[in-house]
Amino acid sequence: MRQALIAILLMLLLPSLASSAPAITCHCFTDRSYDPAKPTLADPYFLATTQNGFFALVFGVDKKSIVIKKQQGVSSEDLWIAYALSGRTGKEPDQLLQERKSRGSWRQVAATLKLQGGSVAEALKSAPSDERLAELVVDEALLRYRFYTEPELAAMRKAGAGDKELVLAALLAARSGQPKLKLYRLVKNSGDSWGGLLQRVKLNSSADIQGELGRLMGRMK
């Protein structure tokens, strides 16, 4: 009888325990190489590793630490915003992420910080979504490292390119000499794949991608 009561109690508690547990985002990829028979299979990995590599170089952090944070449930949007605000305030990114969690929004966090000028500081005043705020941070970095001109970036955003696709398209364009928007449309509209495009420019692994990013960003500072 006692065991039956314990079992019932556990069944009642499990939903609430599950809802209170931190969200874990699996940032693990089983397919990490291009397969001509399944050309798009590894595209999520190529997009993620390129964005993580770009992020690590922009903020001067270890790429593995970013992957671990994502595995622990921190969103890409929160990471971009936290590290950008850290660079403007001197506060540690982890401290800012904790404040975001406790205060409920980045606008509330920003209200306690002394931010001066810049598109991110201005955007925080109008309380955009975290997604939009993260886009502004990414756009600033892409423009700063001259991966895009402002018209190119606007055209890509208008066409529907997300942060990951923007970074990978810029990398491929620098390597191949083709327009970024054309490369994006090859994947989105013409049945091509990011993995296939990477193969054509001989960027076959995460190490190749990271090396090319480092070369481009070192040249374009």
Side-chain angles (χ1 to χ4, degrees):
M1 181 68 175
R2 183 181 178 185
Q3 290 179 336
L5 287 172
I6 291 173
I8 292 170
L9 181 61
L10 285 172
M11 289 176 65
L12 292 171
L13 285 173
L14 279 173
S16 61
L17 288 171
S19 63
S20 64
I24 303 297
T25 303
C26 182
H27 203 68
C28 306
F29 297 91
T30 55
D31 299 293
R32 298 181 175 220
S33 59
Y34 176 69
D35 180 355
K38 299 176 181 178
T40 63
L41 200 61
D43 276 1
Y45 169 71
F46 290 129
L47 287 163
T49 196
T50 305
Q51 185 194 49
N52 290 341
F54 181 66
F55 185 106
L57 290 166
V58 168
F59 295 111
V61 298
D62 180 36
K63 182 179 173 181
K64 289 181 181 178
S65 69
I66 301 306
V67 174
I68 289 171
K69 281 182 169 61
K70 289 185 176 182
Q71 289 173 337
Q72 292 171 339
V74 184
S75 70
S76 292
E77 290 80 12
D78 282 343
L79 285 171
W80 279 107
I81 298 165
Y83 277 79
L85 291 179
S86 175
R88 288 166 169 80
T89 64
K91 282 195 169 187
E92 290 296 321
D94 286 345
Q95 181 183 354
L96 290 164
L97 287 167
Q98 186 57 45
E99 289 183 21
R100 165 65 180 83
K101 185 176 180 181
S102 61
R103 293 180 183 275
S105 73
W106 282 113
R107 187 182 186 188
Q108 292 298 320
V109 174
T112 68
L113 305 173
K114 294 180 180 179
L115 296 172
Q116 297 180 352
S119 60
V120 175
E122 290 301 314
L124 280 164
K125 295 176 183 178
S126 60
S129 66
D130 287 353
E131 290 77 9
R132 177 57 187 147
L133 193 57
E135 283 182 4
L136 290 172
V137 174
V138 175
D139 288 356
E140 277 191 350
L142 290 168
L143 292 170
R144 182 166 77 249
Y145 285 95
R146 291 185 286 164
F147 274 31
Y148 286 87
T149 63
E150 289 190 10
E152 284 177 332
L153 189 53
M156 288 286 283
R157 287 288 189 193
K158 185 176 181 181
D163 299 340
K164 295 176 184 178
E165 293 161 326
L166 285 169
V167 179
L168 188 45
L171 178 70
L172 287 164
R175 184 84 168 191
S176 67
Q178 296 189 62
K180 303 169 187 74
L181 188 57
K182 177 183 177 181
L183 292 167
Y184 174 73
R185 285 175 172 162
L186 281 174
V187 175
K188 291 301 173 181
N189 303 328
S190 301
D192 216 322
S193 70
W194 294 113
L197 294 176
L198 285 166
Q199 284 286 305
R200 289 173 212 166
V201 296
K202 303 188 185 307
L203 294 175
N204 303 318
S205 67
S206 177
D208 291 342
I209 291 169
Q210 193 69 12
E212 185 69 3
L213 282 170
R215 185 185 71 80
L216 290 171
M217 294 172 73
R219 187 186 74 189
M220 296 180 177
K221 280 186 180 180

